[in-house]
Amino acid sequence: MSARHKRIQQRLAPWVVTIFLIVLWESACRLFKIPEFVLPSPSSIATALFQFRNAIYENALWTLVTTVIGFGFAVVIGMVVGLAIGASALVYKGIYPILVAFNSVPKVALVPVFAIWFGIGAVPAVLTAFAISVFPIIVNVATGFATVDPEMHDLMKSLGATQTEILSKVGVPRSMPYFFASLKVSLTLAFTGSVIAETVGSNHGIGYLMLAASARFQVPLVFAGITAIAAMAVVMYSACAMLERRVAHWAFRNGT
Amino acid sequence: MSPPDVAEFGASLSTAGVIPAAETPFVELRDVSLLYGEGEDGMMAVDHLRMTMQRGEFVAVVGPSGCGKSTLMKLVTGLLPPSAGAVLVDGARVTQPIKDVGMAFQNATLMPWRTTKHNVMLPLEVVQPHKARLRSNRAGYEELADRMLASVGLHDFRDRFPWQLSGGMQQRANLCRALIHQPKLLMLDEPFAALDAFTREELWIVMQDLWLERRFSAVLVTHDLREAVFLADTVHVMSNRPGKIVLSRKIDLKRPRTLESTFEPDFIEIVHELRAKITEVRAS
């Protein structure tokens, strides 16, 4: 009974907190008569969401597609580079400084460059999403791989395992929990990247929609755009978490 | 009891008659030295080490901590190349990690992402000829793993993950994994050291049963003198760093040995003798 009770409580907790915050927000807006172009109330955001549902849907889909493509590239390339860095000290020494330098460049500054190279459209958004989300994946996969137990390594070598076998049987599974941890960080970064790119150099996507709306002082629509991005990010995050449960279930030892 | 053999290089082997001395040794260390690091900073881990071991023999290596026992294991298996001297296994000089070895360490080093059974089956995926046959004869190999696990009392735990097992169970699984591909040589690096006394003694029995059944050659590195005397045919005592063999003691107690026999006078006498030698080398 008590265990079941606890479970129900945990299920309800996120909803209760979210609804409480929305109610708080709504009542604050009404109570203090906050003008809509400063902070729209949740109800007017909902109205805007409904009113502009077609435009929001189309642009959200656009953003989702560019983000997922950029993120997909980041996953594949991050995996490969991460494994290479983790497996070889030489590769690590060779490219790590460049990676760190690259990562410290503000990606917003790159968007105009991408726009000059590839024109206004999807490509700059994809590239920005990729550029901003690849680094955490590289670093985490490399860490997972570099921290393989030396005894495990000795054991595999004494069995006559090739480098590829050690990689596939020890390195890759070992780095999976690290990989998924980085996915959760990278995914939200990828959304940030594509939306930033859309506000600078695009005529599609949620970022573009928000920019256009704010130019016309349609602040509820701006917030509706934010809501759409947040919703997409939460859904994608949950998908990653579910995948993690399937692939790296062994890393969750007590079913928590 | 006969007086202790203080001969240095296993010359005492002839006194026991279990293994014909004329046979060429299965493992031979010829004046092996190993230097860690280079130049002035270099540290001699083992120095002119000589040791021989017959096929099917169970050898234990004991000595003060830091005497290079684990280095010895890495030398024999070819994980470390010697700085001088030669390591021969089965008559051939060891220049790279040798195949057909089973290894078990103090940590069970089971893979947390595999079930116990799939952990045990790991060598079959890597070592030939099993590797080539595994796909076509999966059922047969699964049954082999089941049998191995049953023989150490882990049958009901085969589908559990290693972190769901106790330390003793993990070590049992580790032994299964080290033996499933029927290696010629089993290397045990303090495999029972992290276990409580009761579990440890239980696993001595398990280990002895496995050895009596399969008669593989085994090298056990340990701190525990009772463990060494219980399991081994020959106990080698190593000196302080740089390590060399200072005593090779033949253990001719009859098998199977029981935990009761560890309290009998001749057993205790051997343990005392080894202990005295170690005390002596630690002081020097």
Side-chain angles (χ1 to χ4, degrees):
Chain A
M1 176 59 205
S2 138
R4 198 171 142 238
H5 197 74
K6 228 175 187 169
R7 226 177 20 247
I8 293 172
Q9 270 187 343
Q10 288 188 347
R11 278 274 164 81
L12 288 179
W15 298 103
V16 172
V17 171
T18 311
I19 290 168
F20 172 75
L21 286 176
I22 290 175
V23 170
L24 193 71
W25 180 355
E26 181 76 39
S27 35
C29 284
R30 286 173 189 236
L31 205 64
F32 302 112
K33 299 201 168 54
I34 298 172
E36 204 161 62
F37 64 87
V38 175
L39 179 68
S41 66
S43 57
S44 63
I45 295 171
T47 312
L49 263 174
F50 183 74
Q51 196 185 342
F52 298 101
R53 61 188 179 279
N54 286 330
I56 289 173
Y57 174 75
E58 272 167 33
N59 287 296
L61 198 64
W62 179 271
T63 301
L64 185 67
V65 170
T66 53
T67 306
V68 166
I69 295 173
F71 180 62
F73 278 117
V75 168
V76 173
I77 293 173
M79 236 355 223
V80 171
V81 176
L83 282 180
I85 287 181
S88 154
L90 190 65
V91 176
Y92 174 85
K93 295 256 184 218
I95 71 175
Y96 209 70
I98 291 180
L99 276 177
V100 173
F102 174 72
N103 188 50
S104 60
V105 173
K107 303 303 176 298
V108 195
L110 292 179
V111 181
V113 180
F114 290 150
I116 291 167
W117 287 350
F118 302 102
I120 301 286
V123 181
V126 168
L127 281 177
T128 314
F130 164 77
I132 206 168
S133 63
V134 74
F135 190 73
I137 300 179
I138 293 177
V139 171
N140 270 37
V141 171
T143 305
F145 200 75
T147 52
V148 165
D149 193 344
E151 286 186 341
M152 199 86 91
H153 201 262
D154 279 355
L155 180 94
M156 292 299 286
K157 268 174 85 180
S158 75
L159 289 171
T162 60
Q163 207 58 41
T164 326
E165 278 173 327
I166 298 178
L167 193 87
S168 67
K169 290 191 192 299
V170 185
V172 172
R174 173 77 174 74
S175 62
M176 276 300 128
Y178 293 84
F179 171 66
F180 278 106
S182 72
L183 281 200
K184 292 174 178 173
V185 177
S186 281
L187 184 71
T188 43
L189 285 177
F191 272 106
T192 314
S194 55
V195 171
I196 286 175
E198 283 163 3
T199 58
V200 177
S202 180
N203 38 27
H204 290 286
I206 285 285
Y208 168 73
L209 178 91
M210 281 162 62
L211 195 71
S214 68
R216 279 177 275 145
F217 283 100
Q218 286 178 309
V219 182
L221 182 55
V222 176
F223 275 79
I226 293 175
T227 312
I229 298 169
M232 287 190 294
V234 168
V235 169
M236 291 288 291
Y237 185 96
S238 311
C240 277
M242 267 166 68
L243 196 67
E244 178 180 28
R245 283 280 174 161
R246 292 193 75 97
V247 177
H249 58 91
W250 53 271
F252 300 90
R253 309 243 157 139
N254 298 313
T256 45
Chain B
M1 284 300 294
S2 58
D5 300 316
V6 198
E8 233 182 272
F9 319 126
S12 58
L13 289 181
S14 56
T15 55
V18 185
I19 294 137
E23 199 186 322
T24 51
F26 178 54
V27 176
E28 188 180 358
L29 300 180
R30 285 189 192 154
D31 281 320
V32 171
S33 302
L34 184 83
L35 197 67
Y36 276 118
E38 280 168 19
E40 301 254 312
D41 302 329
M43 186 176 56
M44 205 68 134
V46 296
D47 185 18
H48 289 86
L49 192 75
R50 295 183 201 175
M51 194 185 108
T52 58
M53 171 184 173
Q54 304 301 324
R55 188 180 295 278
E57 190 180 9
F58 201 121
V59 162
V61 180
V62 298
S65 62
C67 70
K69 298 190 294 282
S70 297
T71 305
L72 177 85
M73 292 212 20
K74 291 196 172 182
L75 285 167
V76 172
T77 51
L79 288 171
L80 276 176
S83 312
V87 179
L88 288 92
V89 173
D90 217 359
R93 197 170 167 146
V94 175
T95 51
Q96 58 181 46
I98 54 171
K99 298 187 173 165
D100 251 349
V101 182
M103 282 188 123
F105 304 100
Q106 178 173 342
N107 298 322
T109 57
L110 298 170
M111 298 175 175
W113 52 88
R114 287 171 173 242
T115 60
T116 306
K117 181 161 144 185
H118 288 129
N119 261 295
V120 168
M121 290 177 74
L122 174 76
L124 304 176
E125 297 167 21
V126 178
V127 179
Q128 296 290 13
H130 311 289
K131 187 179 164 184
R133 289 184 201 151
L134 185 62
R135 202 176 285 262
S136 57
N137 190 19
R138 182 98 203 166
Y141 278 121
E142 296 237 353
E143 205 190 306
L144 174 67
D146 284 346
R147 270 209 312 276
M148 292 251 14
L149 284 168
S151 73
V152 296
L154 278 182
H155 194 264
D156 296 338
F157 294 89
R158 60 194 163 154
D159 295 325
R160 299 282 185 89
F161 286 91
W163 34 271
Q164 294 172 315
L165 307 184
S166 69
M169 289 176 175
Q170 290 184 21
Q171 265 321 339
R172 286 162 195 252
N174 192 12
L175 289 180
C176 288
R177 180 179 63 184
L179 289 169
I180 194 162
H181 54 298
Q182 306 198 314
K184 288 184 294 189
L185 184 60
L186 178 66
M187 305 298 282
L188 302 164
D189 192 353
E190 303 194 32
F192 313 126
L195 304 173
D196 66 274
F198 296 109
T199 313
R200 196 182 310 155
E201 291 179 351
E202 209 175 285
L203 285 187
W204 294 353
I205 305 279
V206 170
M207 188 72 243
Q208 181 179 245
D209 288 348
L210 288 169
W211 183 78
L212 287 172
E213 189 190 316
R214 294 159 177 254
R215 295 285 177 166
F216 43 82
S217 313
V219 179
L220 166 72
V221 165
T222 180
H223 279 124
D224 186 333
L225 297 179
R226 286 178 65 230
E227 180 173 301
V229 175
F230 183 87
L231 286 169
D233 297 315
T234 310
V235 176
H236 298 284
V237 178
M238 274 179 89
S239 69
N240 264 330
R241 207 174 266 271
K244 48 167 66 182
I245 306 282
V246 290
L247 170 68
S248 295
R249 177 66 161 91
K250 196 84 201 152
I251 314 294
D252 37 20
L253 302 168
K254 69 171 174 37
R255 291 187 191 263
R257 296 168 193 163
T258 61
L259 289 178
E260 278 307 308
S261 71
T262 65
F263 300 106
E264 279 164 17
D266 43 354
F267 189 99
I268 292 168
E269 193 180 325
I270 299 171
V271 173
H272 275 173
E273 178 193 327
L274 294 170
R275 195 182 154 68
K277 190 73 197 175
I278 289 179
T279 313
E280 184 191 316
V281 296
R282 279 188 67 191
S284 66

